[in-house]
Amino acid sequence: MGFYIARRLAGIVLTMLAVSFLVYTGLTLAPGDTAEALLGEHASAEQVAALRSRLNLDAPLPERYADYMAAAVSRGDLGRSLLSDRPVAEVIRERLPATLLLAGLSVLLAAGLGIALGLLAAVHRGGRLDLALVSGTVLGLAIPPYWLAILFIQFFALRLGWLPVFGSGTAAHLVLPTLTLSLPAMAVVARLVRASVIEVSRSDFVRTALAKGLPPRRVLLRHILPNSLLPALVVLGLNLGHLVGGAFVVETIFAWPGLGRLTVQAIFDRDIPMVMGSALVVAPLCLGVNLAVDLLHGMLDPRVRHGAL
Amino acid sequence: MRPKSSLPAVVLVLSLLIAGCAGSTPSVTAPASSGGGGTLTRSMTDEPTSLDPQGAANSGANLMLPYLFDTLVTRQSDGQYVPLLAESWQVGSDGKTVDFKLRQGVKFHDGSALDAKAVVFTFERFKAQGDKSPIAGNIKEIASITALDESTVRFSFAKPTATVFSTLSMPYAGILSPSAVAAAGQDVGRKPVGTGPFKLGDWQSGVGVTLVRNPDYNWGTPEAKNRGPVKFEKLVFKLIPDPSTQLAALQSGDVDVLFVNEPSQLTTLEKDNNFAVQRVNLDSLIYLGFNCAKPPFDDVKVRQALSFAVNKDQIVQTALAGMGAVASTPLTPSLLGYNADLGSYGQGFDPAKAKSLLTQAGFNQGADGVWQRGGQKLTARLLTSTRAPNDAIATVLQSQFKTLGVPVEIQQLDSAAVMKSTTEGAFDILLWRYEWNDPDALNIYLGGSRIRQTNRVFYSNKAVDDLLRKGLSEFDSAKRAGIYQEAQKLILADAPWQPLYLPVEGLVVGKRVQGLKIGALGRMLVNDVTLAGQ
């Protein structure tokens, strides 16, 4: 187990290096640099050149990347935003909690409600409830979050007036963004749980359990369900990246004060330290949660831990 | 671990993840405090990068700076420069100096007094470290700033510079409090202290900015009736990046003011009794630029021919659904030297003329209808940014050029990439826009000395350059206007640009808001605003 974790952690470090290098070079090689993006339409060539040299954009790419990473790794210094001059770490500290709250709640909701609905559908398989739930999951997967968010705002906020249109601060502000963000993952979980509950319930050990006289409810919750959660868990872990990506869209629509909008704007502004800081914080979080999910998976399924799968 | 305990484990890990972030929940969006005159709220698409007027500007900063800082002079919506912090000025006989006499009794938000030293400090700081500012180049032209006495400041230039008023009226040229700058250290961008009608109240990253009325204000722009403190207490800018959410926020009453450029939304709002809708002409020009250095567009006949093929009415009606006014001159209506009649020197919609010009240029139409010369087909790549409604306009233009017999391929990039491509000359036709507050715009975008810089179309005409140089040093308004009119005639005939349209936006205001006006460069003037029910 210790070796497994060490190997995975080493993998995370390598992935982080790759992420940081790709983001840095990608942004640097994209046409147009910070000086041009910043000074805009009216800037003369001298003005652009002067700013470029002050921001050290003239230095060779490997040198700039090495400098940035050396400061980031040795001192935890993510640099200052090229636009606002504020320390990147400070800006991220302000915005990250909101994104984590939204993404975390969405995972919880997707997992909790997804499992419950999947189980419900499996128990009533072939019935009307099953049909309704399965159709619901198809819709949940098919509707783009962007459109769904607008529908939610129109209906729940403007028509019914139950919830705020946008913003943050109260629990009510969380409802629509969380729902929008969790719906696709929830649909996937529900479908997977439904399918695997149906599959597992045909296993020999279930027949044995029922045959020895255990109440069907107990068989369902203690024998079938735990064995049906594995695929859903794996998919949730894999979906985490999508969730963070989705959070960027959802944050923009609901004006949620997270990292998403900040990062997207920083990309347009070619604000390299800001984008890098964002990537260096979000990527290990995703990788870390993925690792946690895999470890859980290992606990649930010893075959994974021992490398048999 | 046995399978039966797995579900609690999943829940535990996830709740830990959430508990980790729950501690620092962002606080409530600024509540509308009703005490003492109420709150006017508007949405903003981008958060200001910095409220240091000399720092990097973006649309959020542009919105807010005029309320926090005053400039020496201000430009009215009719294009006239009028006193603000300077009560009068005197241009030296050689045109190389301008002396500004400062208004007495003006105080910064921190209580310190405005004097000549503060003005000198402001511009010396600008010259030293304002290299991220959009007007950094203009500020560099100031050779020296000196305090002649307590309340008089002299700006000196190496050569006569008539653009001084335009430069000094920009929100970026707002006067800073020297003591506040010293106190803020590296944080000037988050702690702006000026003399404006509002002070910075609260700035929550990702949420919005609240400005609070400056009760001592009594040096407002002459453009407003009320030159004293504004009549409401707070001006709130809520960060709402998505246009559809901005509209919903207006409908729910969360914001009072919204600029709308989606025609269908505007029509809906015009029918809604809760809002007053006003169509506002924006001070910018959308134009088509030809790469004058690249064959065959280096041939004036080819540029003219393509210009004659453009049907601007159709663009405004179909691509913009009426949200624009057809333009025919390179200068926009609020600029000195604008004259709509000059359009006759340019190219109106005339397909027959377009064809005859192509024939004169040695082209003939092949069997497939495409024009060609020496076996070479006349095709073009139309470059523009991804910003709406450029895609719709480009598509209409593509079909208009196709009708003429010139296949056009559309290339859309983000703004930074478009600017890079154009300075490198990697395009045939450019769909682009400009917004500037001085007719020197012609020099910036079409002057021979600015090629590969801001002159993106590689246009160069010595006669035009001479006129533009003369215009730069002419302080007499009437004479200056005449110079730029002459320059526009030459430019229109050379057809480096085909001016397309001036954008129109709908200003939608909640009925409780009275007295809102739009000033120069689309600035929202709130000095005369009263809020009903307060």
Side-chain angles (χ1 to χ4, degrees), chain B residues 264-327:
Chain B
S264 60
Q265 290 181 353
L266 197 63
T267 322
T268 313
L269 289 166
E270 272 169 339
K271 288 184 199 135
D272 191 329
N273 284 329
N274 295 314
F275 305 108
V277 177
Q278 191 187 335
R279 289 186 182 231
V280 182
N281 286 311
L282 297 188
D283 231 0
S284 51
L285 174 77
I286 284 61
Y287 63 87
L288 209 55
F290 298 99
N291 187 339
C292 302
K294 189 176 172 189
F297 308 98
D298 56 343
D299 184 342
V300 63
K301 290 207 170 73
V302 174
R303 296 199 298 267
Q304 287 172 339
L306 289 178
S307 296
F308 275 120
V310 174
N311 181 345
K312 300 174 195 176
D313 284 316
Q314 192 186 38
I315 292 174
V316 169
Q317 292 318 317
T318 55
L320 305 172
M323 301 291 282
V326 166

Side-chain angles (χ1 to χ4, degrees), chain B residues 333-354:
Chain B
S334 79
L335 295 176
L336 191 71
Y338 170 78
N339 181 349
D341 299 339
L342 296 178
S344 58
Y345 290 85
Q347 298 78 30
F349 178 50
D350 192 340
K353 236 177 190 164

Side-chain angles (χ1 to χ4, degrees), chain A residues 31-32 36-47 50-52 54-55 80-86 94-95 97-98 100-101 104-105 107-108 111 115 146 150 153-154 158 165-170 173 222 225-227 229 233 252-257 261 265 268-270 289 292 296 299-300, chain B residues 1 3-4 6-7 9-11 13-15 17-18 21-22 24-29 45-47 49-50 56-57 129 131-137 186 190 205-207 238-242 244-245 248-249 251-252 254-255 287 414 416-417 419-420 423 432-436 444-445 450 453-454 456:
Chain A
E36 278 174 336
L38 203 58
L39 295 172
E41 265 296 275
H42 323 291
S44 68
E46 302 88 56
Q47 209 182 328
L51 184 59
R52 202 172 273 154
R54 188 165 77 83
L55 297 178
R80 282 175 178 269
S81 158
L82 295 182
L83 271 80
S84 67
D85 287 324
R86 297 184 66 208
E94 282 172 1
R95 308 289 281 265
L100 287 182
L101 180 65
L105 270 183
V107 171
L108 261 194
I115 290 171
Y146 181 83
I150 293 173
I153 290 177
Q154 288 296 327
L158 286 182
V165 172
F166 72 98
S168 57
T170 67
H173 283 104
R222 286 293 172 89
L225 184 61
N227 285 294
L229 288 182
L233 186 66
T252 301
I253 299 174
F254 290 101
W256 184 258
R261 171 76 186 165
Q265 190 57 45
F268 286 125
D269 294 333
R270 308 281 193 266
V289 177
L296 265 176
M299 288 176 196
L300 296 172
Chain B
M1 194 182 281
K4 69 174 182 182
S6 58
L7 186 58
V10 177
V11 173
V13 168
L14 290 170
S15 23
L17 183 75
I18 287 167
C21 355
S24 37
T25 313
S27 47
V28 189
T29 30
T45 308
D46 296 309
E47 184 163 8
T49 44
S50 159
Q129 60 180 76
D131 53 3
K132 289 181 189 173
S133 168
I135 59 167
Q186 272 196 310
R190 296 289 281 198
S205 289
V207 176
K238 286 188 179 168
L239 179 65
I240 309 176
D242 186 74
S244 59
T245 314
Q251 289 169 327
S252 68
D254 286 305
V255 303
Y287 63 87
D414 78 7
M419 288 195 275
K420 185 86 186 164
T423 45
W432 205 234
R433 68 190 285 154
Y434 88 85
E435 183 177 74
W436 200 239
I444 297 178
Y445 302 116
R450 305 292 181 100
Q453 306 179 23
T454 48
R456 304 182 183 284

Side-chain angles (χ1 to χ4, degrees), chain A residues 147-163:
Chain A
W147 194 63
L148 195 66
I150 293 173
L151 279 187
F152 279 165
I153 290 177
Q154 288 296 327
F155 190 70
F156 292 108
L158 286 182
R159 179 76 54 92
L160 297 176
W162 290 351
L163 294 162

